[in-house]
Amino acid sequence: MNINKQLIAIVVLVILYTVGIVGTLFYSDSLLSLTPVNLLVGAALVFWNHKLLNTNFVIYAVVVFVAGFLIELAGITTGKIFGQYFYGNNLGVKLLDVPLVIGINWLVLSYATMSLVQPLSAKVSVKWQPVVLALISAAAMVMVDALIEPLCQRLDFWYWRGSVAPLENYTAWFMFSFAFNFLGFKLQVAENNQVAKVIILAQVLFFAALNIGLV
């Protein structure tokens, strides 16, 4: 049953992101308005394949979702965390000018990058695992963000003052990513989730293709 769940999830993700790349590059970028649906479906598929649904996982998921949303709210309100920016319309319904799916996005990226580096745990002493693995997975999250930033305005996701993401954006992304992933590793919620790895790879390929084809 687990193998079937994993296979179904991977096939659905491949179809979704392939349609997204081909449709956006060669037909119409109106498909981008479905980004919130894509994020929600992806999250559902990833966590459908998470094995240990315990109290620690619930704590981790709630903290990352809520904190991720509140950090973005503070970011657009003050302009002091990531830099000065505001959200466009392609990330869907907003609460206080922040798209509701932003918390989901933080959660999926955090969980997926933890899954990506989880196999490295065997090479790191137990004492240092939360720190070392959180550092590596946080770097991976920043790399994903770096692929999105050149496209964010073209995709109507968010808009920067001066049209370019400032250095503080990447610094803040790394710090919060490290904090979320450190929490995840400390609570031992990370799993070698193959579907989570596929969604990271799909996002990298998606935004890399759009960087080549649109910018």
Side-chain angles (χ1 to χ4, degrees):
M1 181 61 181
N2 288 336
I3 293 175
N4 290 338
K5 284 169 58 174
Q6 179 177 294
L7 180 60
I8 290 169
I10 290 173
V11 169
V12 172
L13 286 174
V14 169
I15 292 173
L16 282 177
Y17 280 91
T18 301
V19 169
I21 292 172
V22 174
T24 303
L25 288 180
F26 300 106
Y27 294 99
S28 171
D29 58 7
S30 61
L31 282 174
L32 292 168
S33 63
L34 296 175
T35 297
V37 176
N38 190 359
L39 288 173
L40 290 173
V41 170
L45 293 172
V46 166
F47 296 121
W48 184 38
N49 282 272
H50 179 78
K51 296 186 178 92
L52 193 58
L53 292 171
N54 56 13
T55 302
N56 280 3
F57 178 79
V58 173
I59 292 171
Y60 158 77
V62 171
V63 168
V64 175
F65 174 81
V66 174
F69 180 87
L70 293 178
I71 289 165
E72 298 286 351
L73 177 59
I76 64 168
T77 302
T78 67
K80 302 293 185 182
I81 300 175
F82 302 99
Q84 295 184 324
Y85 69 108
F86 64 91
Y87 281 102
N89 297 314
N90 274 343
L91 291 178
V93 178
K94 300 174 187 174
L95 175 63
L96 302 175
D97 294 324
V98 178
L100 290 173
V101 296
I102 283 298
I104 293 291
N105 191 54
W106 273 104
L107 177 58
V108 170
L109 285 177
S110 171
Y111 178 87
T113 53
M114 286 197 303
S115 295
L116 193 65
V117 305
Q118 178 63 18
L120 298 177
S121 60
K123 302 180 183 300
V124 182
S125 69
V126 174
K127 177 182 178 180
W128 293 103
Q129 278 180 14
V131 172
V132 173
L133 298 182
L135 284 170
I136 299 171
S137 53
M141 284 182 69
V142 174
M143 290 177 191
V144 174
D145 181 57
L147 283 174
I148 303 174
E149 293 300 347
L151 296 163
C152 63
Q153 298 183 162
R154 173 68 176 80
L155 303 182
D156 194 25
F157 284 175
W158 57 83
Y159 296 81
W160 290 103
R161 180 180 181 181
S163 299
V164 177
L167 180 61
E168 62 197 279
N169 169 66
Y170 301 105
T171 304
W173 252 85
F174 183 81
M175 291 173 59
F176 290 120
S177 298
F178 173 80
F180 292 154
N181 294 3
F182 178 82
L183 173 67
F185 284 116
K186 200 69 176 170
L187 292 177
Q188 299 183 329
V189 301
E191 294 181 355
N192 191 16
N193 187 327
Q194 300 303 317
V195 178
K197 296 178 184 180
V198 169
I199 204 168
I200 278 290
L201 176 61
Q203 289 196 15
V204 167
L205 292 175
F206 178 80
F207 290 113
L210 265 56
N211 268 295
I212 294 170
L214 294 181
V215 176

